[in-house]
Each structure stands twice: as C-alpha cells, then as structure tokens.
Amino acid sequence: MEIVCSGAYHTRMITGGCPFSRRRFLQAAGGAAGAFAASALFPPLLLAAGGKTVDVGVASAANPAERARRAVALVGGMKSFVSRGDVVVLKPNIGWDRTPEQAATTDPEFVVAVAEMCLAAGAKSVRVFDRTCNDARRCYVSSGIKDAVERFARTNHAEDALRIYHVEDRKFVRTTIPNALSIKEWDLYRDALEADKIVNLPIAKHHSLSGITLGLKNMMGIMGGNRGQIHYRLSECLVDIHRRVPVALTVIDAGRVLIRNGPSGGNLADVKSFGKAFASRDVIAADVVAAEKIFRMAPRDVGHIGKAMESGLGVSSVAQIRLVEG
Amino acid sequence: MRTTRTLRRVSQWVVFLVFAFLFLNTEYKDNDVLPYAVNLFLRLDPLMAGAATLAGRALIGLVWPALVVALLTVALGRFFCGWFCPLGAVLDAADATVFRRRKARRKDAVPESWRKYKFLVLFFLAASSLFTLQWVFLFDPISILIRTFTVSVFPALNLVLHGIFDGLYRAPGPIPAISEPVYGFLKSHFLAFEQPVFRTSAIVGLLFLGILVAERYQRRFWCRNLCPLGALLALVGRFGLFRRRITEAGCTRCGLCESDCRMAAIGGDVAVTDHGECIECMDCQAICPEEVIHFSGKEGRKPAAVDLTRRGVLASAALGAVTVPFFRVEAYGKAPDPLLIRPPGALVEREFLARCTRCGECMRVCIANGLQPTWFEAGIEGMWSPILVSRIGYCEYNCTLCGQVCPTGAIRRLPLLEKRKTKLGLAHVDRSRCLPWVGQSDCIVCEEHCPTWSKAIVFREERTQTARGEWKMFKKPYIDEDLCVGCGICETKCPLTDRAAVLVTSRGETRSTGVLAR
C-alpha cells in the first residue's frame, strides 16, 4: 500500500490566503506528493488519533468490490470502525428504478463487499435499506442490490446476520434534533437511530440542485415524511440529520459516475467510468475529496458541503484532510 | 348419493381459492412480467366477452376461454353458477354462516316472478351493447367481485390487519416477539406492500353489501333475480344434456327437494325442473330420502317454461337501444375532462369504454396506486373505468403491468420500449404556485424525479423578484413537451402539500393523436 499525503492542500491554501479556486485546488492535489512527504512516515491511525487530521482513503481498482476493500483498508480497515457484536446499518443509494450501469444507485458488488467486511469485523447483524424515490420494490430489484445481498447471505449461510429489507412507515420515529439549524424534529428510521454503527455507501453523481450528491446527501434515505420540502433548505437539513445520526464510516462508490442529469439519470451517455472509491470516518472529508477528485469542485462550489464545514460537524477546513491513496 | 354434492362443494372452494390466489398475485412481485394469467376469471366470462365484442365491434382473442365456458354450458347446463362462480361461492358461504338461521323463515319473502328481471337486465344490456354502449360492468358478477375486492374489501382488510399488528408491534413486553413473525408471514404472502387507497371505495363496498344482505330475504337472491350472466347461461344451458330427473315410481312426493332448492328450480310438481334455473348444485339428490333423484344425460320430464313474456323481452331490449343516443349526446364526448388520464396503451375513448370491464385489475396491479376508479370524469357510462390520478400516484416509467392484466385488451399490452414512448398527457407548470417561479425558494423535486432520458423537465436559471422585491437567481422548471410522457411523477412528488404546482392533463396523449412520441 502506497501512502501519499497531500499536506499541500492546506499549506498552500492558508499561507496563500487567496480564495479557494478550483484551479488552485487542482494544482494542490496534483502537486501533493512532495510537500507533505514527511508525514508518510507516521502510521495513519496515529495521526487520526491526534484529532487534527482526518484520513481519506482514495482507492483505484478495476472491480467494485476491490475498490471498496482497498479504500477501507487505507483508512485503517473495517475493524477500526465496527466492533465485535455491533448492529450495523449499511445505507447504500437504492433510490431509483435504474440498473447499475445507469449509475444512479450504488454498485451491488460494492455494497456486498462492504457488508462482507462488516461481518468479518465481527458485526452481529448488518442491515441494508433505503427509502426510495421510485417504487421501492422496483428499485431494490433493478439496482441489483437486493439480489446481490441476498445471494451473498445465502451462499455464506449468513441470512440471519445480513438482511436487506424495505422501509416501513411504522418504524419511523418522530425525533427531536437538538441545536438544529433547520429541522427541529423529523421522522427518522428507527433502525438507523438504534444502530451501533452506520456505514454510509453513496454513489457519487451529479445532482440538479446541490450540484453533486455524495455522502452527506445520501443519509436522506433514513428520513420519513415529505422529503421534497427539505430541498427548500437542503444544506441546513443535511447538517441536522448528520448531527442527530452520526455516520461511523462513509465509503463513496465512484466506479461509474453520472456526470449529467442526476440524481436519477438513465442515459448511459451521461455515465463516465472513474474506477475509484473514497473512504473516511468523516463524511465531510470524504465528500470534499470526492468532489474535488471527481468533479473538480471545491467545497464552496457545493452549497451543502460548504455549509457542513462551517457547522462543526466534522472537518472545518481542507487543511485537516490527509489523502491516503492506493 | 352425497358424493356429487360434496364434489360440487369442493369445486366451489377450490375455485374460490384459485380466485383469491390470482387476486393476491395481481401484484408486482419482483418480476416485470406476471408469470401467469391473473385475469383468468374475467376471460372465462361469456357475458363480459360477448358485450365487449359487440360494443367494441372487434374479435377479442384474449377472451377465448369464455367460448369454452359457453360451449360447456350448452353441453352441461348452468353448472357455472353452482360449481364455478366465485360470487356464487361467497353467497353460499354467507348462507351457511351468517344467514343460517333464516333459512326456514324467509320462504316466499320475494315473489317468484322476480326471476324474470335477470332476463330483462340481460336483454337491456345486450341491446345497449349492440349499439356500442357497454353497461355490463354494472351487473356482471365477476366484474363486481374483482372490483369490490380491489377497491374496497382488500384495502379495508389490509388497513385493519395493519392497525392490529402495528399496535402489537408497539406493545410492551414479549408481545412483539410473538406478533412480528406472524406479521412477517402475512406481509410477504397476503398484505399489500403499501396501503392502497381508492376513490369510490365506500360506495363499491356498500353495493356489494347490498348483494350479501339480499341473501337474508332469499337464497341466491342475486343469482335468481338479477344476474345477467346467470340469465345468459340459463338461456344457453336450458337444453343442456346433463339434467335433473326423477325415477317417479319411487318418489313419495314428500316435497323436500322442492322446499330446499336454492334456486327454486323445482316447480309445482317435484318431477318438473326448470333447467334454466337449475344450477346443478346436487342438493336435491343428496337429501332425497328415497334416492330417486339423478342427474344424467337422459331426458327428464319436459322442462318448465321460462316465465318471460314476448312483450317484456322486446320492451327491455328496446329500452336498452333507446338509451344509447341519450348518452351519446352528453357533452363530455365533445369536451372530455382534461384530467381524464388513461393508462398507457388504453384504446381511444369509445373503444376503450366498450371493452373496459371495470374489474379493477389494472388498479389492483398499478404499482404506485395511481390508477383509480372514475366517478363521472368519463360520464356515467364511464364510471369505475381507470383514471390516473397523479396526486395519488404516478405511472412508473419501467412498468407495463396494467396492459398485462387487462382481460379484454382495453389497455393494450405494450412492450417496455413502446410504453416508455407512450404519452398519457402532458405536464405543465403552474407558475403562480411553483416555488422557484414565485421567488419563494429552491426546489428541483419535479426535475430530479422526471424519468425520461433526457429529462422532459429542464431548468433555466433566471433572475426572479421575491415578494420583498429583491432579485435572486432561481432554477425554474420548464417542460419539454416533445419529451414529456405525462407519467405524473412530477405531480405526485411536488412537495406542495395541497394542489401540485406541476400538473398533468390529457393534452397530447398518444391514443387520441394516434402517434407515438418522438
């Protein structure tokens, strides 16, 4: 595993004092290798424990499962996030009645690979669900996620431990969100509220309102009620949700990326092969890096990411992010 | 001699269970194509098949099983009503349970002569259908049963069961541990995926209740007096080869068979049978103390005459015919309701109404609960036909189920690629309510849900003055009418809680214009 750290991110930004332009961001990321070489000597965990720096694993591999495994390994392996006996909720994007090739939903192999890692790390149970936009049955089938997860559970005799199921109205719980920016209370899914750990598995794609959708926005899938209305103040709402239901690990699927007409897409011409995965314990850090690497967008270009950085939810500047590539 | 009666009871149960099974499986089950003919019962119905053929002026291949039933009736008599009809089975079950104690008292509560009304209804409907107005759905027992189950009984049952299990789920102690496995089983085999809701559900339920309550006054009241399918089968089957006869030498004229006949088909002399009325339930054979009653191919005594007058027949037929022009000059023919959105693959309106059985199969199978029964959007003659009410549910882009279940082809079975191009209507934005358009807030929900590639809802970023007079940039939705298929998901998902700011009307629908969308 090669560890390349990009201290260049913050050193240039902060000392330069100039606005954080896309171009600068690019240059910074490109010239990352040398500037921060010293910290490559430290094991990544030690740095994270220091509290200042957050690792973001960036993995490239030809197949989705391999990408997921590598990205998680780069940030310390699943055992740093999931403990023995944990009840884990996996939250992929199953939002649309689209096939994996259309890249509107998380790749099924990617989901299965993460589920497998959770089980291997000793999770007592792994639950997979999403509140969908199209008919839930169609989304679960078309995305290939239902079949892939069930097949894996069956062949590994883990039907009890690993389950994918549909969201039910009766399991939404009216939840108050202390210090909320926008939504003081909302119906959230009971299983997510009660889980020991939540692993967030978004697919990176274009989004017509927020520009792009990554880890922060994916957690809308645990919300009940009239979700359309949160679009009026999307950034604040997303911060509120994450404050109430913190995510232990975010692994972003960027194997195929929908670069136009998101989030639902449909047209294969809008899908580009990217072959990467991003992982971090800090959802904001993961989003910042993915936004830059995939879409060449800086945090201020994406309203809800910028807002989240101001909120104190996670990293508040690019300076706190350390890239770990492999 | 009880064997044949037992056989008949077994047949009723089996047929009803098949009916229930097909009903429950008229649903998306992780498969784009339904694996078997869930619409079988309506396709077996000679009355509906005949009316749709007459009124629609077309041979309908789908209904060939009805021809088999008709031919069997010629050979066997009116067996369908006693052995096969699921509504008949429900009525018999009600007799055996709810109305059990009324059997003795209710004799003669309804005059014998009422039985002629079913023939009059039949001739009325036939004449009407001949002149293209199809009313059969009002009286066809299979249509009534499926419609009632779809729109009324099943949703209500689902609501009650859900209420019970949701209550148990929240109960303290060990209760959920016991109730949840039961709930899980019901959920996967019986309960609806999501609670269905339907317009007209209460009235449909009440009408059905009326048919049930009539049993209080007479056994098989519906079948004896009103059912036009029964009347048709009586006419076709009265010369059937399989018929009741008595070995007169042994008969003591005790009259038990006559007093117990559920159809009052045994008249005056116990040896005389009205073969049109006899539904071959085999009760008389089973209860005869002397065992002199047989059903066989041999000729019995001369059948009783149908109590029909030529005048009655002509009058009802004439009435059926004369009604037609009055409905044809209703103004909705010229200016149809703009909200009358028909399912994808629906025929042009006149042919559609001629064929539509109002069975509700399409509404039952509609994955988003968007297909609803009409009240009067299509006129009185169009009542209970399917209409897409987008505020309730939309047409799922990749779904073709309604065309797969329509028993008469009123909704054509479309291949997915053709269905995706079929326009149900067109959406338009209400710019006086749409949030970005009025400078209220960002939204984009309609655009993100728009399923077409490329999107029929597109944004233009424009400066808009807010209510306070500031100028701000908003992404405003525009509709590309070449791409819009009128699926209505934008209207369903529009976050405005009352009337949506993006709405679908029937303008541009493929079935009227006759062209497929580009």
Side-chain angles (χ1 to χ4, degrees), chain B residues 326-360:
Chain B
F326 290 95
F327 283 91
R328 290 286 171 260
V329 294
E330 285 259 13
Y332 61 76
K334 190 169 183 187
D337 191 316
L339 296 180
L340 185 63
I341 313 286
R342 293 298 194 188
L347 303 176
V348 291
E349 188 65 9
R350 184 67 59 79
E351 289 172 43
F352 179 77
L353 285 183
R355 284 205 201 184
C356 176
T357 65
R358 321 299 152 89
C359 59

mmCIF file of all heavy atoms in Angstrom, chain B residues 326-360:
data_model
loop_
_atom_site.group_PDB
_atom_site.id
_atom_site.type_symbol
_atom_site.label_atom_id
_atom_site.label_comp_id
_atom_site.label_asym_id
_atom_site.label_seq_id
_atom_site.Cartn_x
_atom_site.Cartn_y
_atom_site.Cartn_z
ATOM 1 N N PHE B 326 -79.139 8.967 -26.000
ATOM 2 C CA PHE B 326 -79.165 9.963 -24.932
ATOM 3 C C PHE B 326 -77.790 10.126 -24.289
ATOM 4 O O PHE B 326 -77.424 11.195 -23.838
ATOM 5 C CB PHE B 326 -80.216 9.591 -23.876
ATOM 6 C CG PHE B 326 -81.614 9.739 -24.388
ATOM 7 C CD1 PHE B 326 -82.296 8.656 -24.915
ATOM 8 C CD2 PHE B 326 -82.228 10.987 -24.383
ATOM 9 C CE1 PHE B 326 -83.566 8.799 -25.412
ATOM 10 C CE2 PHE B 326 -83.509 11.135 -24.881
ATOM 11 C CZ PHE B 326 -84.185 10.042 -25.404
ATOM 12 N N PHE B 327 -77.060 9.012 -24.232
ATOM 13 C CA PHE B 327 -75.720 9.108 -23.673
ATOM 14 C C PHE B 327 -74.717 9.623 -24.689
ATOM 15 O O PHE B 327 -73.705 10.202 -24.348
ATOM 16 C CB PHE B 327 -75.284 7.749 -23.120
ATOM 17 C CG PHE B 327 -75.917 7.466 -21.800
ATOM 18 C CD1 PHE B 327 -77.121 6.797 -21.729
ATOM 19 C CD2 PHE B 327 -75.345 7.946 -20.639
ATOM 20 C CE1 PHE B 327 -77.729 6.575 -20.506
ATOM 21 C CE2 PHE B 327 -75.941 7.730 -19.415
ATOM 22 C CZ PHE B 327 -77.136 7.035 -19.353
ATOM 23 N N ARG B 328 -75.028 9.390 -25.953
ATOM 24 C CA ARG B 328 -74.102 9.855 -26.992
ATOM 25 C C ARG B 328 -74.159 11.362 -27.200
ATOM 26 O O ARG B 328 -73.279 11.919 -27.835
ATOM 27 C CB ARG B 328 -74.399 9.126 -28.309
ATOM 28 C CG ARG B 328 -74.036 7.660 -28.284
ATOM 29 C CD ARG B 328 -72.528 7.475 -28.357
ATOM 30 N NE ARG B 328 -72.160 6.083 -28.132
ATOM 31 C CZ ARG B 328 -71.721 5.607 -26.979
ATOM 32 N NH1 ARG B 328 -71.581 6.412 -25.937
ATOM 33 N NH2 ARG B 328 -71.415 4.341 -26.825
ATOM 34 N N VAL B 329 -75.207 12.016 -26.704
ATOM 35 C CA VAL B 329 -75.243 13.474 -26.836
ATOM 36 C C VAL B 329 -74.791 14.174 -25.556
ATOM 37 O O VAL B 329 -74.893 15.384 -25.432
ATOM 38 C CB VAL B 329 -76.645 14.000 -27.247
ATOM 39 C CG1 VAL B 329 -76.990 13.517 -28.641
ATOM 40 C CG2 VAL B 329 -77.720 13.594 -26.246
ATOM 41 N N GLU B 330 -74.295 13.384 -24.580
ATOM 42 C CA GLU B 330 -73.689 14.007 -23.390
ATOM 43 C C GLU B 330 -72.463 14.817 -23.838
ATOM 44 O O GLU B 330 -71.666 14.348 -24.649
ATOM 45 C CB GLU B 330 -73.250 12.920 -22.407
ATOM 46 C CG GLU B 330 -74.391 12.292 -21.656
ATOM 47 C CD GLU B 330 -74.513 12.842 -20.238
ATOM 48 O OE1 GLU B 330 -73.863 13.863 -19.951
ATOM 49 O OE2 GLU B 330 -75.261 12.256 -19.440
ATOM 50 N N ALA B 331 -72.291 15.979 -23.274
ATOM 51 C CA ALA B 331 -71.268 16.906 -23.780
ATOM 52 C C ALA B 331 -69.841 16.447 -23.535
ATOM 53 O O ALA B 331 -68.921 16.906 -24.203
ATOM 54 C CB ALA B 331 -71.485 18.292 -23.179
ATOM 55 N N TYR B 332 -69.645 15.513 -22.600
ATOM 56 C CA TYR B 332 -68.260 15.120 -22.342
ATOM 57 C C TYR B 332 -67.625 14.475 -23.565
ATOM 58 O O TYR B 332 -66.407 14.414 -23.681
ATOM 59 C CB TYR B 332 -68.153 14.193 -21.122
ATOM 60 C CG TYR B 332 -68.899 12.900 -21.249
ATOM 61 C CD1 TYR B 332 -68.410 11.863 -22.040
ATOM 62 C CD2 TYR B 332 -70.105 12.705 -20.577
ATOM 63 C CE1 TYR B 332 -69.114 10.683 -22.169
ATOM 64 C CE2 TYR B 332 -70.799 11.526 -20.706
ATOM 65 C CZ TYR B 332 -70.306 10.516 -21.504
ATOM 66 O OH TYR B 332 -70.999 9.354 -21.646
ATOM 67 N N GLY B 333 -68.454 13.988 -24.473
ATOM 68 C CA GLY B 333 -67.917 13.428 -25.717
ATOM 69 C C GLY B 333 -67.195 14.491 -26.529
ATOM 70 O O GLY B 333 -66.195 14.220 -27.188
ATOM 71 N N LYS B 334 -67.703 15.705 -26.463
ATOM 72 C CA LYS B 334 -67.091 16.784 -27.231
ATOM 73 C C LYS B 334 -65.959 17.454 -26.465
ATOM 74 O O LYS B 334 -64.933 17.815 -27.041
ATOM 75 C CB LYS B 334 -68.159 17.834 -27.580
ATOM 76 C CG LYS B 334 -67.676 18.864 -28.574
ATOM 77 C CD LYS B 334 -68.826 19.696 -29.083
ATOM 78 C CE LYS B 334 -68.335 20.675 -30.136
ATOM 79 N NZ LYS B 334 -69.402 21.605 -30.526
ATOM 80 N N ALA B 335 -66.156 17.616 -25.176
ATOM 81 C CA ALA B 335 -65.128 18.270 -24.363
ATOM 82 C C ALA B 335 -64.828 17.391 -23.158
ATOM 83 O O ALA B 335 -65.356 17.608 -22.075
ATOM 84 C CB ALA B 335 -65.609 19.650 -23.908
ATOM 85 N N PRO B 336 -63.989 16.377 -23.353
ATOM 86 C CA PRO B 336 -63.698 15.457 -22.257
ATOM 87 C C PRO B 336 -62.987 16.167 -21.108
ATOM 88 O O PRO B 336 -62.345 17.193 -21.312
ATOM 89 C CB PRO B 336 -62.754 14.412 -22.887
ATOM 90 C CG PRO B 336 -62.828 14.628 -24.347
ATOM 91 C CD PRO B 336 -63.244 16.044 -24.567
ATOM 92 N N ASP B 337 -63.141 15.615 -19.924
ATOM 93 C CA ASP B 337 -62.458 16.161 -18.763
ATOM 94 C C ASP B 337 -60.955 16.160 -19.007
ATOM 95 O O ASP B 337 -60.379 15.126 -19.327
ATOM 96 C CB ASP B 337 -62.802 15.280 -17.544
ATOM 97 C CG ASP B 337 -62.369 15.917 -16.237
ATOM 98 O OD1 ASP B 337 -61.244 16.445 -16.194
ATOM 99 O OD2 ASP B 337 -63.156 15.894 -15.280
ATOM 100 N N PRO B 338 -60.305 17.306 -18.865
ATOM 101 C CA PRO B 338 -58.854 17.359 -19.126
ATOM 102 C C PRO B 338 -58.036 16.497 -18.172
ATOM 103 O O PRO B 338 -56.897 16.176 -18.454
ATOM 104 C CB PRO B 338 -58.495 18.840 -18.948
ATOM 105 C CG PRO B 338 -59.636 19.445 -18.230
ATOM 106 C CD PRO B 338 -60.843 18.628 -18.525
ATOM 107 N N LEU B 339 -58.622 16.123 -17.048
ATOM 108 C CA LEU B 339 -57.893 15.300 -16.091
ATOM 109 C C LEU B 339 -58.119 13.810 -16.332
ATOM 110 O O LEU B 339 -57.667 12.968 -15.561
ATOM 111 C CB LEU B 339 -58.295 15.656 -14.660
ATOM 112 C CG LEU B 339 -57.936 17.074 -14.229
ATOM 113 C CD1 LEU B 339 -58.364 17.330 -12.792
ATOM 114 C CD2 LEU B 339 -56.448 17.335 -14.385
ATOM 115 N N LEU B 340 -58.859 13.481 -17.408
ATOM 116 C CA LEU B 340 -59.107 12.071 -17.697
ATOM 117 C C LEU B 340 -57.853 11.472 -18.344
ATOM 118 O O LEU B 340 -57.729 11.413 -19.564
ATOM 119 C CB LEU B 340 -60.311 11.938 -18.631
ATOM 120 C CG LEU B 340 -60.761 10.501 -18.917
ATOM 121 C CD1 LEU B 340 -61.233 9.817 -17.647
ATOM 122 C CD2 LEU B 340 -61.863 10.468 -19.963
ATOM 123 N N ILE B 341 -56.916 11.052 -17.500
ATOM 124 C CA ILE B 341 -55.675 10.439 -17.978
ATOM 125 C C ILE B 341 -55.875 8.932 -17.951
ATOM 126 O O ILE B 341 -56.117 8.358 -16.886
ATOM 127 C CB ILE B 341 -54.481 10.804 -17.063
ATOM 128 C CG1 ILE B 341 -54.441 12.290 -16.757
ATOM 129 C CG2 ILE B 341 -53.171 10.297 -17.660
ATOM 130 C CD1 ILE B 341 -53.986 13.154 -17.876
ATOM 131 N N ARG B 342 -55.787 8.302 -19.113
ATOM 132 C CA ARG B 342 -55.994 6.847 -19.182
ATOM 133 C C ARG B 342 -54.647 6.127 -19.052
ATOM 134 O O ARG B 342 -53.589 6.708 -19.305
ATOM 135 C CB ARG B 342 -56.650 6.493 -20.513
ATOM 136 C CG ARG B 342 -58.074 7.007 -20.671
ATOM 137 C CD ARG B 342 -58.998 6.421 -19.632
ATOM 138 N NE ARG B 342 -60.405 6.654 -19.965
ATOM 139 C CZ ARG B 342 -61.407 6.369 -19.143
ATOM 140 N NH1 ARG B 342 -61.156 5.854 -17.942
ATOM 141 N NH2 ARG B 342 -62.654 6.593 -19.501
ATOM 142 N N PRO B 343 -54.698 4.835 -18.692
ATOM 143 C CA PRO B 343 -53.449 4.071 -18.551
ATOM 144 C C PRO B 343 -52.705 3.973 -19.878
ATOM 145 O O PRO B 343 -53.304 4.127 -20.942
ATOM 146 C CB PRO B 343 -53.928 2.685 -18.112
ATOM 147 C CG PRO B 343 -55.343 2.825 -17.738
ATOM 148 C CD PRO B 343 -55.882 4.039 -18.410
ATOM 149 N N PRO B 344 -51.391 3.711 -19.829
ATOM 150 C CA PRO B 344 -50.616 3.609 -21.066
ATOM 151 C C PRO B 344 -51.075 2.406 -21.890
ATOM 152 O O PRO B 344 -51.193 1.305 -21.353
ATOM 153 C CB PRO B 344 -49.178 3.411 -20.566
ATOM 154 C CG PRO B 344 -49.337 2.837 -19.199
ATOM 155 C CD PRO B 344 -50.574 3.448 -18.630
ATOM 156 N N GLY B 345 -51.376 2.628 -23.159
ATOM 157 C CA GLY B 345 -51.844 1.538 -24.005
ATOM 158 C C GLY B 345 -53.358 1.485 -24.106
ATOM 159 O O GLY B 345 -53.911 0.631 -24.802
ATOM 160 N N ALA B 346 -54.047 2.402 -23.420
ATOM 161 C CA ALA B 346 -55.509 2.438 -23.498
ATOM 162 C C ALA B 346 -55.932 2.755 -24.933
ATOM 163 O O ALA B 346 -55.291 3.549 -25.617
ATOM 164 C CB ALA B 346 -56.059 3.483 -22.541
ATOM 165 N N LEU B 347 -57.020 2.109 -25.379
ATOM 166 C CA LEU B 347 -57.542 2.380 -26.721
ATOM 167 C C LEU B 347 -58.172 3.770 -26.743
ATOM 168 O O LEU B 347 -58.337 4.397 -25.693
ATOM 169 C CB LEU B 347 -58.588 1.331 -27.085
ATOM 170 C CG LEU B 347 -58.128 -0.131 -27.036
ATOM 171 C CD1 LEU B 347 -59.293 -1.067 -27.331
ATOM 172 C CD2 LEU B 347 -56.994 -0.365 -28.020
ATOM 173 N N VAL B 348 -58.545 4.235 -27.931
ATOM 174 C CA VAL B 348 -59.236 5.520 -27.989
ATOM 175 C C VAL B 348 -60.539 5.407 -27.200
ATOM 176 O O VAL B 348 -61.112 4.325 -27.064
ATOM 177 C CB VAL B 348 -59.515 5.979 -29.438
ATOM 178 C CG1 VAL B 348 -58.219 6.352 -30.140
ATOM 179 C CG2 VAL B 348 -60.273 4.927 -30.191
ATOM 180 N N GLU B 349 -61.002 6.530 -26.689
ATOM 181 C CA GLU B 349 -62.009 6.529 -25.634
ATOM 182 C C GLU B 349 -63.226 5.633 -25.917
ATOM 183 O O GLU B 349 -63.630 4.827 -25.082
ATOM 184 C CB GLU B 349 -62.451 7.963 -25.347
ATOM 185 C CG GLU B 349 -63.364 8.115 -24.139
ATOM 186 C CD GLU B 349 -62.701 7.750 -22.808
ATOM 187 O OE1 GLU B 349 -61.472 7.528 -22.780
ATOM 188 O OE2 GLU B 349 -63.427 7.666 -21.809
ATOM 189 N N ARG B 350 -63.823 5.760 -27.109
ATOM 190 C CA ARG B 350 -65.039 4.986 -27.407
ATOM 191 C C ARG B 350 -64.776 3.487 -27.339
ATOM 192 O O ARG B 350 -65.498 2.731 -26.684
ATOM 193 C CB ARG B 350 -65.577 5.392 -28.781
ATOM 194 C CG ARG B 350 -66.878 4.745 -29.174
ATOM 195 C CD ARG B 350 -68.043 5.182 -28.311
ATOM 196 N NE ARG B 350 -68.295 6.604 -28.338
ATOM 197 C CZ ARG B 350 -68.935 7.238 -29.320
ATOM 198 N NH1 ARG B 350 -69.382 6.581 -30.361
ATOM 199 N NH2 ARG B 350 -69.123 8.533 -29.255
ATOM 200 N N GLU B 351 -63.697 3.063 -27.976
ATOM 201 C CA GLU B 351 -63.358 1.635 -27.947
ATOM 202 C C GLU B 351 -62.965 1.200 -26.544
ATOM 203 O O GLU B 351 -63.246 0.071 -26.122
ATOM 204 C CB GLU B 351 -62.187 1.346 -28.892
ATOM 205 C CG GLU B 351 -62.527 1.433 -30.360
ATOM 206 C CD GLU B 351 -61.276 1.319 -31.223
ATOM 207 O OE1 GLU B 351 -60.429 0.466 -30.918
ATOM 208 O OE2 GLU B 351 -61.150 2.100 -32.187
ATOM 209 N N PHE B 352 -62.295 2.102 -25.860
ATOM 210 C CA PHE B 352 -61.849 1.778 -24.503
ATOM 211 C C PHE B 352 -63.039 1.475 -23.598
ATOM 212 O O PHE B 352 -63.087 0.445 -22.919
ATOM 213 C CB PHE B 352 -61.027 2.943 -23.942
ATOM 214 C CG PHE B 352 -60.551 2.717 -22.536
ATOM 215 C CD1 PHE B 352 -59.476 1.870 -22.290
ATOM 216 C CD2 PHE B 352 -61.184 3.320 -21.464
ATOM 217 C CE1 PHE B 352 -59.038 1.635 -20.989
ATOM 218 C CE2 PHE B 352 -60.750 3.086 -20.161
ATOM 219 C CZ PHE B 352 -59.681 2.254 -19.932
ATOM 220 N N LEU B 353 -64.029 2.373 -23.629
ATOM 221 C CA LEU B 353 -65.198 2.173 -22.761
ATOM 222 C C LEU B 353 -66.006 0.948 -23.185
ATOM 223 O O LEU B 353 -66.610 0.271 -22.363
ATOM 224 C CB LEU B 353 -66.079 3.418 -22.760
ATOM 225 C CG LEU B 353 -65.538 4.605 -21.954
ATOM 226 C CD1 LEU B 353 -66.533 5.746 -21.957
ATOM 227 C CD2 LEU B 353 -65.207 4.190 -20.524
ATOM 228 N N ALA B 354 -66.019 0.670 -24.489
ATOM 229 C CA ALA B 354 -66.752 -0.504 -24.959
ATOM 230 C C ALA B 354 -66.145 -1.782 -24.397
ATOM 231 O O ALA B 354 -66.838 -2.742 -24.078
ATOM 232 C CB ALA B 354 -66.751 -0.540 -26.487
ATOM 233 N N ARG B 355 -64.824 -1.783 -24.253
ATOM 234 C CA ARG B 355 -64.165 -3.010 -23.817
ATOM 235 C C ARG B 355 -63.914 -3.087 -22.313
ATOM 236 O O ARG B 355 -63.777 -4.167 -21.754
ATOM 237 C CB ARG B 355 -62.810 -3.127 -24.512
ATOM 238 C CG ARG B 355 -62.920 -3.551 -25.952
ATOM 239 C CD ARG B 355 -61.628 -4.223 -26.337
ATOM 240 N NE ARG B 355 -61.433 -4.221 -27.780
ATOM 241 C CZ ARG B 355 -60.418 -4.823 -28.356
ATOM 242 N NH1 ARG B 355 -59.507 -5.437 -27.626
ATOM 243 N NH2 ARG B 355 -60.282 -4.810 -29.671
ATOM 244 N N CYS B 356 -63.762 -1.920 -21.696
ATOM 245 C CA CYS B 356 -63.349 -1.919 -20.274
ATOM 246 C C CYS B 356 -64.393 -2.608 -19.410
ATOM 247 O O CYS B 356 -65.564 -2.243 -19.411
ATOM 248 C CB CYS B 356 -63.119 -0.487 -19.792
ATOM 249 S SG CYS B 356 -62.724 -0.395 -18.033
ATOM 250 N N THR B 357 -63.950 -3.599 -18.638
ATOM 251 C CA THR B 357 -64.880 -4.388 -17.822
ATOM 252 C C THR B 357 -65.077 -3.804 -16.423
ATOM 253 O O THR B 357 -65.867 -4.317 -15.652
ATOM 254 C CB THR B 357 -64.350 -5.816 -17.640
ATOM 255 O OG1 THR B 357 -63.148 -5.749 -16.880
ATOM 256 C CG2 THR B 357 -64.051 -6.480 -18.970
ATOM 257 N N ARG B 358 -64.318 -2.768 -16.095
ATOM 258 C CA ARG B 358 -64.365 -2.113 -14.780
ATOM 259 C C ARG B 358 -64.052 -3.111 -13.661
ATOM 260 O O ARG B 358 -64.539 -2.985 -12.540
ATOM 261 C CB ARG B 358 -65.744 -1.467 -14.485
ATOM 262 C CG ARG B 358 -66.405 -0.800 -15.652
ATOM 263 C CD ARG B 358 -65.588 0.355 -16.219
ATOM 264 N NE ARG B 358 -65.874 0.533 -17.633
ATOM 265 C CZ ARG B 358 -66.826 1.301 -18.105
ATOM 266 N NH1 ARG B 358 -67.574 1.973 -17.271
ATOM 267 N NH2 ARG B 358 -67.032 1.411 -19.399
ATOM 268 N N CYS B 359 -63.268 -4.097 -13.987
ATOM 269 C CA CYS B 359 -62.943 -5.114 -12.994
ATOM 270 C C CYS B 359 -61.962 -4.585 -11.975
ATOM 271 O O CYS B 359 -61.866 -5.102 -10.864
ATOM 272 C CB CYS B 359 -62.368 -6.349 -13.668
ATOM 273 S SG CYS B 359 -60.873 -6.030 -14.632
ATOM 274 N N GLY B 360 -61.180 -3.555 -12.377
ATOM 275 C CA GLY B 360 -60.216 -3.009 -11.420
ATOM 276 C C GLY B 360 -58.899 -3.754 -11.374
ATOM 277 O O GLY B 360 -58.062 -3.471 -10.520
#
